[in-house]
Amino acid sequence: MSKSVTRQANANIALVKYWGKRGAASLNLPAVGSLSVTLDGLATTTTVSLDQSLTADVYVRAGRERPEEGRRASAFLDRLRDASGTKDFCRIETDNNFPTAAGLASSASGFAALTLAASELFELGLDDRALSQWARQGSGSAGRSIFGGFVLQHRGEREDGEDCFAEQLRPASHWPLKVLVGVTDARQKATGSSDGMRQTAESSPYFQAWQAGQPADLAAAREAIEARDFDALASITEQSCLKMHATAMAANPGVIYWNAATLELIEAVRDLRQKGHGACFTIDAGPQVKVVCQPEAAAAADDMLRAHPGVAEVISCDLREEAS
């Protein structure tokens, strides 16, 4: 006997970055709060099937069994199984419509989709806040992918994580920005985000300053979003990105995700803005450059990205309006 649930979730891009963890490793609590936008064009589709004939979970991505990747998903499912009293193993079939583990938030959309499908399959009856808390335990940024639009992930103070959750601040219709992704290298990154965060927290002399500055950055970003003040949002978005990467680069050894094209595109986006186009850059744990822009600036940003010899692909995204 088997039954299945299929759900989809979308990647999100943090404007005010999340980098570093705190507290018990099992709860995956963030060291800082973060603020993101959810993207309509980057999605993970996941089917979870209960199957009493299985003797272990089976994990399939893009049509191929991947036991190494599956261990993390299976450990996450164990916690959901414990919460539901379910004993049966599952077949997990998942795929992304964008590069995996390349700095495009595939773990966020992946664990959000897995949370949505498995919690429904196990009949847990979770509300959105609880879904975000469960998804966060799989990937620190996955809780944000439960929602559309502009999303705030609360750091929380409690060691049990009860006050650490994500919520939508504003729907995408409040300020329909565009995000263009300049893919400079679609290969899987050498240093995963979790390893990079741990190395940064353990050895970067800037890590405490990174944490201390986050509340002010979040407040500034929230104010800019409420006022739809693009210049203010661009300033805090770029500063948060550069602070995160500077903190990681200062680790021992340095955690470096950029390539030559990444640096060149930073300057190209700055040049666009100096010419009067409403555009700014942000970069997650990878070499891909995301250009956040006002709709009227999207064509100029797209032209700039496509003209750069280091850009292999350009992905154009609107903000996702609805929750996953």
Side-chain angles (χ1 to χ4, degrees):
M1 186 183 76
S2 66
K3 64 175 183 175
S4 301
V5 173
T6 301
R7 295 297 301 269
Q8 185 179 88
N10 288 66
N12 69 79
I13 300 299
L15 306 180
V16 178
K17 298 299 189 191
Y18 149 60
W19 196 247
K21 303 180 189 296
R22 66 176 180 89
S26 62
L27 293 176
N28 210 20
L29 298 170
V32 294
S34 54
L35 193 155
S36 64
V37 289
T38 304
L39 305 182
D40 206 31
L42 306 181
T44 299
T45 302
T46 298
T47 299
V48 183
S49 305
L50 272 177
D51 192 334
Q52 293 177 343
S53 69
L54 294 176
T55 57
D57 292 324
V58 175
Y59 184 87
V60 178
R61 179 172 62 79
R64 182 162 67 87
E65 286 192 29
R66 302 173 192 263
E68 289 293 321
E69 293 181 23
R71 277 197 278 272
R72 185 177 171 190
S74 185
F76 177 71
L77 279 183
D78 283 343
R79 295 196 287 274
L80 285 170
R81 274 189 282 255
D82 288 344
S84 67
T86 302
K87 302 298 183 184
D88 295 333
F89 291 104
C90 298
R91 181 178 177 87
I92 306 157
E93 297 176 87
T94 189
D95 202 3
N96 305 311
N97 67 353
F98 61 99
T100 300
L104 290 171
S106 60
S107 65
S109 57
F111 274 98
L114 180 58
T115 300
L116 291 165
S119 63
E120 183 176 333
L121 185 66
F122 298 160
E123 299 178 351
L124 287 173
L126 303 176
D127 61 17
D128 286 346
R129 173 170 169 162
L131 285 167
S132 79
Q133 291 173 311
W134 276 105
R136 181 209 72 232
Q137 292 180 48
S139 170
S141 54
R144 301 191 309 244
S145 283
I146 297 297
F147 303 91
F150 299 84
V151 183
L152 175 66
Q153 171 69 54
H154 295 276
R155 174 190 185 276
E157 300 296 331
R158 292 176 51 154
E159 292 305 311
D160 63 3
E162 282 301 309
D163 58 350
C164 179
F165 62 93
E167 63 174 332
Q168 186 187 74
L169 291 177
R170 286 286 189 171
S173 56
H174 168 71
W175 197 8
L177 300 175
K178 298 275 289 186
V179 178
L180 303 179
V181 182
V183 179
T184 67
D185 189 342
R187 293 174 297 179
Q188 184 169 333
K189 57 199 178 191
T191 304
S193 296
S194 294
D195 289 340
M197 288 185 197
R198 181 170 52 254
Q199 195 164 313
T200 302
E202 290 175 352
S203 64
S204 175
Y206 303 152
F207 189 70
Q208 289 185 343
W210 159 253
Q211 292 177 282
Q214 198 77 344
D217 289 351
L218 287 168
R222 293 183 69 168
E223 185 176 335
I225 290 165
E226 286 299 315
R228 297 196 298 182
D229 182 339
F230 190 83
D231 287 341
L233 185 65
S235 176
I236 194 61
T237 295
E238 292 187 351
Q239 186 185 34
S240 179
C241 168
L242 293 175
K243 285 197 295 185
M244 171 194 139
H245 283 277
T247 303
M249 288 179 188
N252 185 20
V255 181
I256 301 173
Y257 290 107
W258 296 355
N259 57 29
T262 309
L263 281 165
E264 291 170 359
L265 289 171
I266 287 173
E267 291 304 315
V269 174
R270 284 175 163 174
D271 185 58
L272 268 183
R273 196 159 67 254
Q274 287 179 349
K275 292 176 179 176
H277 299 288
C280 66
F281 67 82
T282 190
I283 306 153
D284 291 302
Q288 330 311 347
V289 176
K290 293 87 175 181
V291 184
V292 182
C293 55
Q294 296 176 306
E296 58 270 24
D302 187 80
D303 288 345
M304 178 275 291
L305 289 169
R306 293 184 188 280
H308 194 284
V311 175
E313 180 185 5
V314 178
I315 304 170
S316 179
C317 303
D318 293 315
L319 303 193
R320 183 172 178 81
E321 178 71 12
E322 299 297 331
S324 297

